[in-house]
Tab-separated table of all heavy atoms in Angstrom:
chain	number	residue	atom	x	y	z
T	1	PHE	N	77.406	18.509	19.393
T	1	PHE	CA	78.531	18.964	20.197
T	1	PHE	C	79.560	17.847	20.230
T	1	PHE	O	79.249	16.696	19.915
T	1	PHE	CB	78.074	19.305	21.622
T	1	PHE	CG	77.193	20.521	21.697
T	1	PHE	CD1	75.852	20.467	21.326
T	1	PHE	CD2	77.699	21.734	22.135
T	1	PHE	CE1	75.035	21.586	21.386
T	1	PHE	CE2	76.896	22.857	22.202
T	1	PHE	CZ	75.571	22.784	21.823
T	2	ARG	N	80.777	18.178	20.617
T	2	ARG	CA	81.789	17.138	20.754
T	2	ARG	C	82.657	17.419	21.963
T	2	ARG	O	82.788	18.561	22.405
T	2	ARG	CB	82.648	17.044	19.492
T	2	ARG	CG	83.529	18.251	19.230
T	2	ARG	CD	84.258	18.085	17.889
T	2	ARG	NE	85.156	19.208	17.629
T	2	ARG	CZ	85.855	19.350	16.505
T	2	ARG	NH1	85.761	18.441	15.529
T	2	ARG	NH2	86.656	20.391	16.355
T	3	GLN	N	83.227	16.342	22.479
T	3	GLN	CA	84.108	16.469	23.630
T	3	GLN	C	85.292	15.541	23.460
T	3	GLN	O	85.117	14.313	23.375
T	3	GLN	CB	83.371	16.163	24.931
T	3	GLN	CG	84.191	16.461	26.166
T	3	GLN	CD	83.352	16.489	27.424
T	3	GLN	OE1	82.245	15.954	27.473
T	3	GLN	NE2	83.870	17.123	28.467
T	4	ALA	N	86.469	16.131	23.401
T	4	ALA	CA	87.703	15.367	23.310
T	4	ALA	C	88.235	15.109	24.719
T	4	ALA	O	87.905	15.849	25.655
T	4	ALA	CB	88.730	16.135	22.489
T	5	PRO	N	89.058	14.086	24.891
T	5	PRO	CA	89.599	13.787	26.226
T	5	PRO	C	90.316	14.987	26.827
T	5	PRO	O	91.157	15.609	26.169
T	5	PRO	CB	90.572	12.635	25.950
T	5	PRO	CG	90.045	11.990	24.724
T	5	PRO	CD	89.482	13.103	23.888
T	6	GLY	N	89.965	15.310	28.052
T	6	GLY	CA	90.616	16.405	28.743
T	6	GLY	C	90.184	17.786	28.325
T	6	GLY	O	90.738	18.786	28.788
T	7	LYS	N	89.192	17.858	27.456
T	7	LYS	CA	88.715	19.156	26.975
T	7	LYS	C	87.245	19.334	27.295
T	7	LYS	O	86.515	18.379	27.552
T	7	LYS	CB	88.947	19.285	25.469
T	7	LYS	CG	90.420	19.301	25.073
T	7	LYS	CD	90.567	19.603	23.596
T	7	LYS	CE	92.035	19.696	23.198
T	7	LYS	NZ	92.207	20.025	21.753
T	8	GLU	N	86.803	20.586	27.246
T	8	GLU	CA	85.401	20.873	27.486
T	8	GLU	C	84.580	20.529	26.241
T	8	GLU	O	85.088	20.498	25.120
T	8	GLU	CB	85.217	22.351	27.832
T	8	GLU	CG	85.859	22.759	29.149
T	8	GLU	CD	85.509	24.181	29.530
T	8	GLU	OE1	84.894	24.891	28.711
T	8	GLU	OE2	85.863	24.587	30.647
T	9	ARG	N	83.302	20.298	26.480
T	9	ARG	CA	82.396	20.051	25.368
T	9	ARG	C	82.294	21.320	24.526
T	9	ARG	O	82.174	22.417	25.067
T	9	ARG	CB	81.027	19.655	25.894
T	9	ARG	CG	80.062	19.193	24.841
T	9	ARG	CD	78.820	18.604	25.478
T	9	ARG	NE	79.132	17.414	26.248
T	9	ARG	CZ	78.198	16.642	26.822
T	9	ARG	NH1	76.915	16.956	26.701
T	9	ARG	NH2	78.546	15.580	27.507
T	10	GLU	N	82.350	21.152	23.194
T	10	GLU	CA	82.291	22.309	22.326
T	10	GLU	C	81.210	22.151	21.263
T	10	GLU	O	80.891	21.045	20.821
T	10	GLU	CB	83.641	22.569	21.643
T	10	GLU	CG	84.084	21.507	20.667
T	10	GLU	CD	85.309	21.917	19.867
T	10	GLU	OE1	85.660	23.111	19.847
T	10	GLU	OE2	85.896	21.015	19.231
T	11	PHE	N	80.675	23.272	20.861
T	11	PHE	CA	79.652	23.320	19.825
T	11	PHE	C	80.253	22.963	18.475
T	11	PHE	O	81.361	23.379	18.158
T	11	PHE	CB	79.050	24.723	19.780
T	11	PHE	CG	78.167	24.988	18.583
T	11	PHE	CD1	76.922	24.384	18.494
T	11	PHE	CD2	78.590	25.829	17.569
T	11	PHE	CE1	76.106	24.631	17.409
T	11	PHE	CE2	77.782	26.082	16.483
T	11	PHE	CZ	76.543	25.477	16.398
T	12	VAL	N	79.481	22.192	17.685
T	12	VAL	CA	79.915	21.839	16.344
T	12	VAL	C	78.972	22.439	15.303
T	12	VAL	O	79.403	23.174	14.422
T	12	VAL	CB	79.986	20.310	16.170
T	12	VAL	CG1	80.364	19.960	14.732
T	12	VAL	CG2	80.981	19.703	17.152
T	13	ALA	N	77.687	22.122	15.424
T	13	ALA	CA	76.719	22.608	14.442
T	13	ALA	C	75.313	22.452	15.006
T	13	ALA	O	75.093	21.654	15.919
T	13	ALA	CB	76.841	21.857	13.118
T	14	ALA	N	74.374	23.222	14.457
T	14	ALA	CA	72.985	23.135	14.902
T	14	ALA	C	72.058	23.518	13.765
T	14	ALA	O	72.464	24.183	12.791
T	14	ALA	CB	72.750	24.036	16.115
T	15	VAL	N	70.796	23.119	13.906
T	15	VAL	CA	69.816	23.359	12.866
T	15	VAL	C	68.469	23.665	13.502
T	15	VAL	O	68.133	23.128	14.560
T	15	VAL	CB	69.721	22.136	11.915
T	15	VAL	CG1	69.279	20.886	12.668
T	15	VAL	CG2	68.811	22.404	10.727
T	16	ASN	N	67.702	24.540	12.837
T	16	ASN	CA	66.384	24.865	13.399
T	16	ASN	C	65.369	23.800	12.999
T	16	ASN	O	65.698	22.832	12.305
T	16	ASN	CB	65.941	26.264	12.967
T	16	ASN	CG	65.478	26.319	11.516
T	16	ASN	OD1	65.906	25.503	10.699
T	16	ASN	ND2	64.618	27.268	11.201
T	17	TRP	N	64.116	24.002	13.386
T	17	TRP	CA	63.105	22.966	13.200
T	17	TRP	C	62.853	22.670	11.731
T	17	TRP	O	62.574	21.533	11.353
T	17	TRP	CB	61.791	23.383	13.859
T	17	TRP	CG	61.134	24.554	13.169
T	17	TRP	CD1	61.344	25.878	13.388
T	17	TRP	CD2	60.178	24.483	12.101
T	17	TRP	NE1	60.592	26.631	12.541
T	17	TRP	CE2	59.858	25.814	11.741
T	17	TRP	CE3	59.556	23.428	11.423
T	17	TRP	CZ2	58.937	26.106	10.731
T	17	TRP	CZ3	58.647	23.723	10.418
T	17	TRP	CH2	58.351	25.058	10.090
T	18	SER	N	62.987	23.679	10.866
T	18	SER	CA	62.671	23.486	9.451
T	18	SER	C	63.855	22.956	8.652
T	18	SER	O	63.684	22.468	7.541
T	18	SER	CB	62.210	24.804	8.841
T	18	SER	OG	63.298	25.719	8.768
T	19	GLY	N	65.041	23.075	9.225
T	19	GLY	CA	66.238	22.692	8.493
T	19	GLY	C	66.795	23.793	7.635
T	19	GLY	O	67.856	23.627	7.005
T	20	LEU	N	66.137	24.941	7.612
T	20	LEU	CA	66.551	26.018	6.724
T	20	LEU	C	67.595	26.935	7.352
T	20	LEU	O	68.266	27.693	6.650
T	20	LEU	CB	65.329	26.842	6.297
T	20	LEU	CG	64.293	26.081	5.478
T	20	LEU	CD1	63.122	26.990	5.128
T	20	LEU	CD2	64.914	25.499	4.214
T	21	THR	N	67.692	26.896	8.659
T	21	THR	CA	68.677	27.731	9.356
T	21	THR	C	69.681	26.834	10.060
T	21	THR	O	69.286	25.968	10.842
T	21	THR	CB	68.005	28.649	10.387
T	21	THR	OG1	67.087	29.525	9.714
T	21	THR	CG2	69.038	29.487	11.129
T	22	THR	N	70.945	27.040	9.758
T	22	THR	CA	71.992	26.238	10.382
T	22	THR	C	73.098	27.140	10.935
T	22	THR	O	73.277	28.280	10.477
T	22	THR	CB	72.622	25.251	9.390
T	22	THR	OG1	73.231	25.984	8.316
T	22	THR	CG2	71.572	24.300	8.823
T	23	TYR	N	73.783	26.620	11.918
T	23	TYR	CA	74.943	27.282	12.500
T	23	TYR	C	76.073	26.263	12.556
T	23	TYR	O	75.847	25.097	12.879
T	23	TYR	CB	74.639	27.790	13.906
T	23	TYR	CG	73.561	28.854	13.951
T	23	TYR	CD1	72.215	28.504	14.029
T	23	TYR	CD2	73.881	30.204	13.897
T	23	TYR	CE1	71.220	29.462	14.063
T	23	TYR	CE2	72.890	31.177	13.929
T	23	TYR	CZ	71.572	30.798	14.001
T	23	TYR	OH	70.584	31.765	14.037
T	24	THR	N	77.274	26.693	12.249
T	24	THR	CA	78.423	25.798	12.237
T	24	THR	C	79.604	26.495	12.888
T	24	THR	O	79.857	27.673	12.636
T	24	THR	CB	78.795	25.401	10.804
T	24	THR	OG1	77.637	24.875	10.139
T	24	THR	CG2	79.882	24.348	10.788
């Protein structure tokens, strides 16, 4: 996740336990 000054935290990317499923 990332958070810029003055902004809410936002999702960037994620991965499951095996590494085979990702979200961006």
Side-chain angles (χ1 to χ4, degrees):
F1 291 77
R2 67 184 182 184
Q3 188 166 20
K7 295 187 177 181
E8 294 187 352
R9 188 170 296 186
E10 66 171 345
F11 169 71
V12 177
V15 61
N16 75 334
W17 68 273
S18 69
L20 296 179
T21 299
T22 61
Y23 297 87
T24 307

